[in-house]
């Protein structure tokens, strides 16, 4: 097991590569999901706040 | 094509695709990592560092692939005035920049043990670096323009200009490289790659593609939601102004 | 049609000269930037000759970028761009004429003073000739590619830094072929293949720059 983590002496290079990829891809994914959730929550709020517009919006969506 | 231009239809389509692409991303990346880290041999020349390739090469592919997607979406936006195409191009850019950054970082981490230096002005690394600047320029331009329609149009033109220039930039960098580089650099990958190495490479590449789909759809969703939020906020502001008048 | 175009170029040149010598500012920038290098790396003749081509070309690219913001900005601000769009000739020709005027006003002076700065950088004989020829063949492309950035960033606050990020990566082929031509001449080789590639890049820049800048400005006018 420890030889696996040692990566033949190249542990730093191999694990930094995988770590950097995880950090960047994970970061983009989490940030994008958070933004999507925030945007849809804000949209629901506004729809509730302006109910008279709601019907027209939905009619437009269905068209 | 315009069949999918309708945001509501897109949202429905996205909710059908997303669970599948999420599962495929996770499955492919987990199995890809298993083969990349455990079930593949070390290279006889590069030793264990060859495992960096399973991140580096697919990320470099994705960097190019994402720019092509952006260019195709930009063309669709300019030619057919397809509203979702704008959103797609804009949503893809940060993902592409992320893959490009991964390709650069892993390239450096691979270069140090293999070439004895963190950075080599090798033609491929240099081209990827320039691609990174093209992504940054696109994102800076689109974010600098406030009017969404103007931003979409400017972004689409810039993405297409970048795309048609990429072959010329690539050619010039190769030309420059042959003038300056003694051909001592170890060839990355190479055409004759062992099947045991090809499998993790393909799995990781496919995983990255489905990751791209998942994140792109989520980003497009939030762009569309935010556009409607802006519209509703404007309407509310207008209503309250009318009420006050 | 040709007369209108000539009139247009003349108008742009007049404007460039009248704005307090604004056109020459890029050229002065070029000279100062080049002069900084001997002060930075030291006056050793071989070192200077070795880096001369790269330094002069990079300085020329930067001089092009700093002069770009004037390309469409003034006409956009005072609304004369709308008038130009109404001229009885294709708008793309108007854009191309403006790019040409930009080259004449801002980059041709750079080409003209380049042999003096080349001499100061210890370039001699064929290498100096190749430098001037390369700049002459390559810099028009900088105006046309730059026009894309200038058209996209028109009307934006703090367009300067954005412009350099948009345009400089697209200048890389001109830089590579231009420097390669001078280096070839310095080594006693034939610079012609590099010059031909450079000119090819310029022709491509003329086509793509005119088309993209026209498309970008048209939306701005709508």
């Amino acid at each position: 097991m420890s030889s696996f983590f040692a990566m033949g002496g190249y542990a730093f290079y191999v694990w930094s590569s995988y770590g950097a990829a995880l950090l960047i891809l994970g970061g983009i994914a989490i940030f994008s999901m958070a933004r999507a959730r925030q945007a849809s929550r804000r949209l629901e709020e506004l729809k509730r706040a302006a109910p008279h517009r709601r019907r027209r919006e939905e009619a437009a969506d269905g068209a | 094509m315009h069949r999918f231009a309708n945001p509501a239809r897109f949202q429905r389509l996205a909710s059908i695709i997303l669970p599948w692409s999420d599962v495929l991303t996770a499955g492919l990346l987990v199995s890809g990592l298993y083969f990349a880290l455990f079930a593949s041999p070390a290279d006889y020349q590069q030793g264990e560092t060859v495992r960096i390739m399973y991140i580096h090469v697919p990320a470099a592919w994705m960097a190019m692939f994402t720019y092509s997607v952006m260019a195709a979406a930009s063309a669709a936006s300019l030619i057919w005035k397809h509203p979702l195409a704008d959103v797609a191009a804009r949503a893809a850019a940060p993902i592409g920049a992320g893959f490009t950054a991964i390709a650069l970082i892993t390239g450096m981490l691979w270069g140090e043990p293999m070439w004895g230096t963190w950075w080599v002005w090798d033609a491929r690394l240099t081209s990827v670096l320039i691609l990174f600047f093209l992504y940054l320029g696109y994102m800076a331009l689109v974010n600098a323009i406030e009017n969404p329609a103007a931003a979409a149009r400017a972004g689409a033109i810039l993405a297409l200009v970048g795309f048609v220039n990429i072959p010329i930039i690539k050619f010039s960098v190769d030309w420059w490289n042959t003038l300056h580089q003694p051909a001592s650099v170890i060839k990355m990958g190479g055409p004759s790659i062992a099947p045991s190495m090809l499998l993790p490479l393909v799995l990781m590449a496919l995983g990255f593609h489905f990751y791209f789909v998942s994140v792109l759809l989520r980003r497009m969703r939030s762009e569309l939601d935010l556009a409607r939020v802006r519209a509703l906020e404007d309407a509310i502001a207008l209503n309250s102004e009318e009420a006050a008048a | 049609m040709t007369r209108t175009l000539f009139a247009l170029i003349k108008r742009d040149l007049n404007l460039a000269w009248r704005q307090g010598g604004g056109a020459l500012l890029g050229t002065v920038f070029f000279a100062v930037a080049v002069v900084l290098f001997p002060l930075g790396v030291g006056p050793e003749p071989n070192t200077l000759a070795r880096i001369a081509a790269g330094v002069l070309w990079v300085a020329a690219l930067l001089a092009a970028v700093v002069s770009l913001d004037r390309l469409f900005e003034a006409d956009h601000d005072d609304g004369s761009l709308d008038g130009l769009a109404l001229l009885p000739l294709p708008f793309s020709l108007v854009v191309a004429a403006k790019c040409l005027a930009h080259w004449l006003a801002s980059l041709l002076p750079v080409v003209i003073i380049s042999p003096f700065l080349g001499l100061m950088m210890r370039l001699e004989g064929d290498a100096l000739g190749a430098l001037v020829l390369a700049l002459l063949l390559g810099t028009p492309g900088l105006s046309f590619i730059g026009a894309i950035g200038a058209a996209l960033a028109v009307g934006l606050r703090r367009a300067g830094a954005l412009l350099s990020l948009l345009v400089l990566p697209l200048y890389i082929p001109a830089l590579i072929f231009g420097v390669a031509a001078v280096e070839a001449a310095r080594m006693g080789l034939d610079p012609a293949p590099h010059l031909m590639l450079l000119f090819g890049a310029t022709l491509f820049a003329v086509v793509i720059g005119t088309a993209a800048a026209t498309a970008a400005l048209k939306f701005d006018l709508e």
Side-chain angles (χ1 to χ4, degrees), chain C residues 199-219:
Chain C
F199 192 58
T202 297
L203 291 180
F204 182 78
V206 169
V207 175
I208 203 87
T210 307
T214 305
L217 288 173
K218 264 197 180 144
F219 180 79

Side-chain angles (χ1 to χ4, degrees), chain C residues 69-84:
Chain C
D69 55 343
R70 280 200 318 273
L71 187 43
F72 299 116
E73 198 66 42
D75 282 347
H76 173 263
D77 288 349
D78 66 10
S80 49
L81 212 52
D82 301 83
L84 293 176

Side-chain angles (χ1 to χ4, degrees), chain C residues 170-207:
Chain C
L170 303 177
Y171 280 174
I172 287 168
L175 172 68
I176 288 173
F177 298 137
V179 172
V182 184
E183 286 299 289
R186 211 168 62 86
M187 308 282 189
L189 303 169
D190 184 14
H194 307 284
L195 289 172
M196 277 191 268
L197 284 171
L198 178 64
F199 192 58
T202 297
L203 291 180
F204 182 78
V206 169
V207 175

Side-chain angles (χ1 to χ4, degrees), chain B residues 117-140:
Chain B
T117 172
W118 291 101
W119 185 263
V120 175
W121 287 99
D122 144 271
R124 290 200 207 186
L125 272 178
T126 311
S127 301
V128 174
L129 181 63
I130 296 166
L131 185 63
F132 189 57
F133 289 134
L134 291 180
Y135 275 118
L136 292 186
Y138 175 88
M139 296 194 317

Side-chain angles (χ1 to χ4, degrees), chain A residues 13 18 25 32 42 57 63, chain B residues 6 51 112 211 228 233:
Chain A
Y13 304 106
Y18 282 79
L25 292 184
S32 302
R42 178 92 183 104
E57 283 264 329
Chain B
N6 184 313
R51 303 193 193 284
E112 220 290 318
Y211 167 91
R228 285 179 66 194
E233 277 172 347

Side-chain angles (χ1 to χ4, degrees), chain B residues 48-74:
Chain B
E48 302 283 352
T49 56
V50 75
R51 303 193 193 284
I52 298 174
M53 177 180 76
Y54 305 127
I55 298 284
H56 175 78
V57 170
W61 285 344
M62 289 308 292
M64 265 316 295
F65 171 77
T66 308
Y67 206 91
S68 313
V69 169
M70 272 171 60
S74 299

Side-chain angles (χ1 to χ4, degrees), chain B residues 78 130 133-134 136-138 140-141 144-147 149-151 153-155 157-158 160-162 164-165 168-169 171-173 175-176 179-180, chain C residues 50 145 148 152-153 156-157 162 165-166 169-170 172-174 176-177 179-180 183 193-194 197 201 204 208 212-219 222:
Chain B
L78 284 179
I130 296 166
F133 289 134
L134 291 180
L136 292 186
Y138 175 88
L141 178 71
I145 304 177
E146 275 171 32
N147 172 0
R153 171 93 175 191
I157 291 172
L158 185 66
L160 282 177
V161 166
V164 296
N165 268 290
I168 297 164
I169 295 176
F171 173 76
S172 69
V173 170
W175 181 267
W176 166 82
L179 292 178
H180 292 275
Chain C
R50 168 71 196 79
I145 289 280
I148 304 171
L152 290 174
L156 290 179
R157 274 172 290 121
L162 183 63
L165 180 57
L166 298 185
L170 303 177
I172 287 168
I176 288 173
F177 298 137
V179 172
E183 286 299 289
H194 307 284
L197 284 171
F204 182 78
I208 203 87
T214 305
L217 288 173
K218 264 197 180 144
F219 180 79
E222 272 162 16

Side-chain angles (χ1 to χ4, degrees), chain C residues 15-30:
Chain C
L15 280 174
W17 286 106
R18 229 186 304 147
Q19 283 166 353
L24 281 185
L25 228 51
T27 313
V28 176
F29 173 87
F30 171 72

